[in-house]
Amino acid sequence: MEIDELRGCLVTILAVEEREATDWVEVELLPIELLRELPIDATPEAVHRYLDDADIRSRKSACAAH
């Protein structure tokens, strides 16, 4: 996956997450396929963590705001 493709996917997920009434189920479902496609060793750990931690952000507003 090219960096521009990854950036586009992340922008889409962030847009859903930043809506007034966040649909956390959608936020959790969006990265599933993306996580399968990303090579673990070639992608920054922060990206994997962000994609995998929607459940934490949904429960802790301080994490979501950060």
Side-chain angles (χ1 to χ4, degrees), residues 1 28-40 43 48 51-52:
M1 171 176 286
E28 287 187 41
L29 293 175
L30 283 171
I32 290 173
E33 187 64 33
L34 181 57
L35 281 167
R36 285 189 207 133
E37 294 178 26
L38 291 177
I40 292 174
T43 307
H48 281 278
L51 293 172
D52 198 39

Side-chain angles (χ1 to χ4, degrees), residues 2-65:
E2 298 293 323
I3 192 72
D4 288 338
E5 234 181 320
L6 174 59
R7 186 177 291 125
C9 292
L10 293 173
V11 165
T12 300
I13 295 167
L14 279 169
V16 173
E17 193 169 327
E18 290 178 341
R19 289 182 190 151
E20 182 77 25
T22 303
D23 182 350
W24 288 107
V25 173
E26 183 179 3
V27 173
E28 287 187 41
L29 293 175
L30 283 171
I32 290 173
E33 187 64 33
L34 181 57
L35 281 167
R36 285 189 207 133
E37 294 178 26
L38 291 177
I40 292 174
D41 58 340
T43 307
E45 183 181 342
V47 172
H48 281 278
R49 204 173 279 167
Y50 169 75
L51 293 172
D52 198 39
D53 289 348
D55 60 323
I56 294 169
R57 293 190 308 277
S58 72
R59 290 190 310 263
K60 297 181 179 180
S61 59
C63 288

